[in-house]
Amino acid sequence: DGKGIDFSANTDDAGGMTAELLDDYEEGTWTGTFNPASGSFGQSMNTGSYTKVGRLVTICGLLTINSETAASGHLTITGLPFAAGSGNEYKTSVSLWANGLGANKIIHMIGEIASGGSVIAVYRGDSASITSDAASDLDAACDMRFNATYFV
């Protein structure tokens, strides 16, 4: 309620500066879930943690799949603790690594948190293209580790 760490005594502000009060800090956990467009995944572990400082949120997580039933199509990870800010400048890349994929699977995956969104969209990539059919590359006994920093 108007309280926090006040940095207004700082005299070398950047142009366009709009605030000098750090009024929010929070740490916690969140539960992520894989959601394929069709089919399903059974998950045995879905841990995530976050730190929020002002408008900046840093997340990390690990999702482990213990079963898969005809999963295919677009893949999202839901359950982010905060929605991203609205506006194109708030689109955020997500660093992710899929571990334990079977042979002949695409190993390059790309993640994005859309402006105003509270999910991670996962895309598959190879040397030719990026597509939204990432769910078919995940199978039982693989896991995905990810982290991102985004603005709310």
Side-chain angles (χ1 to χ4, degrees), residues 107-131:
I107 59 171
H108 304 288
M109 294 200 178
I110 302 157
E112 176 189 44
I113 302 171
S115 133
S118 58
V119 302
I120 298 171
V122 180
Y123 301 93
R124 65 192 295 220
D126 58 28
S127 61
S129 65
I130 296 173
T131 68

Side-chain angles (χ1 to χ4, degrees), residues 62-65 96-102 107 109 137-145:
L62 168 67
L63 294 175
T64 301
I65 297 171
L96 38 88
W97 179 50
N99 181 45
L101 297 177
I107 59 171
M109 294 200 178
D137 287 324
L138 302 179
D139 38 14
C142 75
D143 61 56
M144 186 174 289
R145 300 147 195 202

